[in-house]
Amino acid sequence: MNQVEHVANLARLQLSREELERLSTQLSRILAYMEELNAVDTAGIPGTTSVVAGDANVLREDEVQPSLSQDQALRNAPDAVDGLFQVPQIISDR
Amino acid sequence: MFETVIGLEVHAQLQTQSKMFCGCATEFGSPANTRTCPVCLGLPGALPVVNQRAVEMAIRTGLALHCTVQSTNQFARKNYFYPDLPKGYQISQYDRPICENGWLELQANGTSKKVRIRRAHLEEDAGKNIHADAGSLVDLNRAGTPLIEIVTEPDMHSAEEVVSYLKSLRDVLMYIGVCDGNMEQGSLRCEPNLSLRPVGSDALGTKVELKNINSFKFVKDAIEYEIKRQTKVLSEGGTIHQETRLWDIERNQTAVMRSKEEAHDYRYFPDPDLVPLVIAEEWIEELRATIQELPKDRHQRFLRDYGLPDYDAGVLTSSRALADYFEACVTLFAEPKLISNFLMSEFLRELHQAGMTVESSPVSPERLVGLLQLVHDDTISLKVAKEIFPELFAGDKSAAQLVEEKGLRQLSDEGELLALIDAVIEQHPAQVAQYRGGKETVIGFLVGQAMKRSGGKANPQKVNALFKTRLAP
């Protein structure tokens, strides 16, 4: 339950008591299934990090391409001031 | 008694034209949010593609720092929420950084020592937050700019060592042309981790991370402040909390930004949008060949090949352009010390006053050497050379032309000098008598009179010598 609350907080999700309980049960079942998968011997098999099998080194030249205009960039922003995105006050800097 | 233990994380912006994963321009100072695209704005469906040049710069950095370059690389997502990070994660590297296990030498307390470099990895920069009353404002021009993060082992023990390490690192990065080294503009940012432990102990104490340090002076001030603060807390029996503290420029102190309890749980995982990066040995060797001589090596060579004092070699090799300029001069005229003195004083001063860089110097090595050759062969005095240098700098005449036009040629002809000297002797019998009576310092006065008569053109060494002969008993 505490763990679910922690993960929800990291994902900035606000969950009701009832949701927390339901998700705790579901996540426990998912984790139990992961335990089953852990039983498979994967020693010596490299992890799959991409489904584009066998591909590597997709690179681009260091060339500048046109950017969006300021208007286009800010089009989806709920609030903007002087060409800047406006967001709620952040209490402390990162 | 406590010992200070410091490790350093440095973020350096790589000098590419375009961003790490998209083609937006990276230049500093564009109007807000005019250098963004669906990739760096984190719009749904946009896919990142790695900038090859950023990878090459990271490899060259690793090689210059004596690191091993990892053959298989994977980019990872570092997840956290902050308004300057549009995707909700930063693309970085986690368990497989591109470079590992290197070292860099620093100079402190008159000795040099090696600082071990644990890793150097590629990542993207975040945007910029501006705090306003109404809320926070965000400019995403910087989001996605390639960074290399260079992390040391906790091998440093004083502010002096950290500053020296940072200067060496900055020199290396600028020399190999991967970063412009500008701390004020944020191209180079450093975050020291600092802890204290009782002298003689091997265990590490609780560490504090310092941020918001954007000049060498602040690095020194912040570290010295933090050492004092932690010493006081520990001496009074208190405990240090693991936290991030910001350097407050106004108050000259550090203040808590966030404690460990609030720190992020980043949940790194491999970025499925990016395929692995495999670096072949041939690619590494190709890049190794492009690394120029590093500042430390060049410094040593200047001591060895030109017989310069340590101080001169340090000043001249502090920038590649200045070192190149010096070497161009020495190739034309083999008087390294004369050239070095002139470059460190008159030359750098004129450039500074004109707001110019060595690269844009209006005086070529040929014209500068032309001036110093006139000093060397006694055509003019060093004093005259210094006086006419601003004109040489501002115009396009050669030193020889200027000397000729202004009639500044030094008077070295013995007959003419003797005539001057005799006139002075005749005019100042009292001083001459003092000199003959054993007060040898009076010769300074007599030489001064002769110089004045010549309009500053007489060769002072010769005048001095001739006076001594003339007045010898």
Side-chain angles (χ1 to χ4, degrees):
Chain A
M1 193 80 145
N2 277 343
Q3 270 180 314
V4 177
E5 260 184 305
H6 175 66
V7 174
N9 181 43
L10 286 174
R12 299 293 185 272
L13 292 174
Q14 199 166 33
L15 301 176
S16 67
R17 201 76 220 149
E18 188 208 336
E19 283 171 318
L20 271 177
E21 276 167 26
R22 194 172 72 238
L23 286 168
S24 296
T25 319
Q26 288 180 358
L27 283 170
S28 298
R29 292 222 307 270
I30 293 168
L31 287 175
Y33 176 59
M34 294 296 163
E35 282 305 313
E36 261 179 63
L37 288 182
N38 271 347
V40 180
D41 181 11
T42 57
I45 301 172
T48 304
T49 55
S50 167
V51 288
V52 192
D55 228 337
N57 293 10
V58 177
L59 299 164
R60 42 172 270 273
E61 293 288 316
D62 180 26
E63 277 166 9
V64 173
Q65 302 292 330
S67 293
L68 296 176
S69 69
Q70 194 183 62
D71 283 348
Q72 286 171 317
L74 296 173
R75 191 163 291 165
N76 295 324
D79 282 306
V81 179
D82 297 334
L84 297 153
F85 292 93
Q86 186 171 19
V87 300
Q89 187 76 51
I90 311 156
I91 302 150
S92 62
D93 200 17
R94 194 176 77 248
Chain B
M1 279 298 287
F2 297 103
E3 178 191 37
T4 308
V5 181
I6 309 170
L8 209 62
E9 282 175 21
V10 169
H11 287 87
Q13 276 182 0
L14 298 174
Q15 278 180 299
T16 53
Q17 298 297 307
S18 65
K19 291 186 179 179
M20 182 71 218
F21 299 110
C22 63
C24 290
T26 53
E27 95 266 60
F28 186 81
S30 305
N33 295 307
T34 57
R35 296 288 178 265
T36 67
C37 72
V39 173
C40 58
L41 284 176
L43 300 185
L47 286 173
V49 186
V50 176
N51 183 337
Q52 177 168 342
R53 191 153 167 77
V55 173
E56 290 175 349
M57 286 182 168
I59 296 172
R60 292 173 63 227
T61 303
L63 293 174
L65 298 176
H66 318 94
C67 291
T68 313
V69 178
Q70 183 93 244
S71 61
T72 306
N73 280 263
Q74 181 68 53
F75 288 96
R77 293 185 180 181
K78 178 179 179 178
N79 300 278
Y80 65 90
F81 281 105
Y82 207 71
D84 63 13
L85 192 73
K87 294 191 292 293
Y89 59 85
Q90 177 190 29
I91 304 177
S92 181
Q93 293 191 289
Y94 186 50
D95 52 1
R96 295 191 142 187
I98 188 162
C99 307
E100 284 180 303
N101 302 326
W103 55 265
L104 181 64
E105 209 166 53
L106 65 74
Q107 316 279 334
N109 304 315
T111 55
S112 61
K113 77 177 226 185
K114 281 180 185 175
V115 172
R116 290 170 297 158
I117 289 165
R118 183 185 298 166
R119 58 185 281 155
H121 68 253
L122 269 169
E123 61 182 30
E124 56 176 343
D125 208 346
K128 213 164 141 184
N129 287 306
I130 301 152
H131 301 290
D133 288 339
S136 290
L137 305 173
V138 187
D139 176 4
L140 294 177
N141 282 350
R142 200 179 68 182
T145 297
L147 293 178
I148 186 155
E149 177 177 330
I150 302 157
V151 184
T152 74
E153 295 291 345
D155 286 352
M156 287 165 275
H157 303 285
S158 67
E160 190 195 358
E161 288 191 350
V162 174
V163 169
S164 169
Y165 166 83
L166 200 56
K167 284 188 172 161
S168 300
L169 180 63
R170 183 171 174 267
D171 283 350
V172 168
L173 297 175
M174 288 171 70
Y175 245 73
I176 61 172
V178 301
C179 179
D180 69 16
N182 190 324
M183 292 183 78
E184 284 74 19
Q185 286 183 2
S187 323
L188 191 71
R189 313 196 278 268
C190 97
E191 289 158 18
N193 282 302
L194 189 151
S195 64
L196 299 188
R197 65 180 172 201
V199 168
S201 160
D202 281 338
L204 289 169
T206 305
K207 69 180 179 187
V208 163
E209 187 178 338
L210 302 177
K211 288 195 175 206
N212 195 36
I213 306 174
N214 66 347
S215 76
F216 288 111
K217 183 179 181 307
F218 296 155
V219 170
K220 183 170 174 288
D221 292 351
I223 289 174
E224 283 174 355
Y225 174 87
E226 192 56 24
I227 293 172
K228 270 193 209 134
R229 187 189 72 85
Q230 292 193 18
T231 305
K232 186 162 183 288
V233 171
L234 293 172
S235 306
E236 289 168 356
T239 46
I240 299 297
H241 303 286
Q242 186 168 344
E243 60 198 7
T244 300
R245 297 178 73 92
L246 285 183
W247 177 242
D248 185 330
I249 299 156
E250 319 262 277
R251 298 205 186 93
N252 273 312
Q253 63 184 43
T254 62
V256 187
M257 182 174 93
R258 64 159 181 251
S259 67
K260 187 63 190 169
E261 292 77 69
E262 304 158 32
H264 301 275
D265 177 350
Y266 293 124
R267 295 151 293 143
Y268 282 96
F269 65 88
D271 190 325
D273 285 346
L274 289 158
V275 294
L277 181 63
V278 178
I279 299 167
E281 199 55 41
E282 301 85 72
W283 196 14
I284 298 174
E285 288 318 309
E286 220 173 88
L287 292 168
R288 197 189 297 278
T290 68
I291 295 178
Q292 299 89 346
E293 186 184 30
L294 294 170
K296 280 274 168 329
D297 301 331
R298 202 168 194 184
H299 184 126
Q300 289 306 318
R301 188 165 61 79
F302 276 24
L303 297 180
R304 195 177 61 236
D305 291 2
Y306 303 123
L308 291 177
D310 193 57
Y311 175 81
D312 294 42
V315 172
L316 295 173
T317 58
S318 65
S319 95
R320 188 159 87 202
L322 184 60
D324 287 347
Y325 192 98
F326 169 78
E327 293 215 272
C329 291
V330 174
T331 313
L332 297 165
F333 181 45
E335 286 293 330
K337 186 56 183 154
L338 180 62
I339 294 167
S340 167
N341 286 346
F342 207 83
L343 289 183
M344 293 193 300
S345 54
E346 315 303 312
F347 180 69
L348 287 180
R349 180 163 60 236
E350 284 301 320
L351 280 176
H352 183 71
Q353 278 170 4
M356 289 169 150
T357 59
V358 175
E359 288 94 327
S360 63
S361 163
V363 178
S364 62
E366 288 77 11
R367 287 173 66 221
L368 187 116
V369 160
L371 178 69
L372 295 180
Q373 278 169 332
L374 295 178
V375 175
H376 190 67
D377 66 16
D378 280 342
T379 306
I380 56 171
S381 65
L382 186 60
K383 188 161 163 283
V384 168
K386 288 179 177 178
E387 278 165 14
I388 64 170
F389 185 64
E391 263 184 86
L392 190 76
F393 190 86
D396 51 13
K397 286 179 181 155
S398 72
Q401 276 174 309
L402 282 172
V403 167
E404 217 47 59
E405 279 175 23
K406 296 168 150 304
L408 294 170
R409 185 173 281 278
Q410 186 162 253
L411 197 55
S412 294
D413 180 77
E414 206 162 302
E416 287 180 56
L417 290 176
L418 278 174
L420 269 175
I421 284 164
D422 288 341
V424 171
I425 290 174
E426 205 180 303
Q427 216 172 21
H428 300 282
Q431 283 80 2
V432 169
Q434 282 179 354
Y435 179 81
R436 288 199 164 123
K439 199 179 171 195
E440 290 186 3
T441 50
V442 176
I443 197 143
F445 169 82
L446 296 169
V447 170
Q449 291 302 313
M451 292 302 295
K452 210 164 142 189
R453 264 175 184 270
S454 75
K457 284 191 269 177
N459 179 333
Q461 284 82 35
K462 283 199 175 167
V463 170
N464 197 300
L466 287 172
F467 259 117
K468 282 183 177 159
T469 334
R470 211 52 159 186
L471 298 176

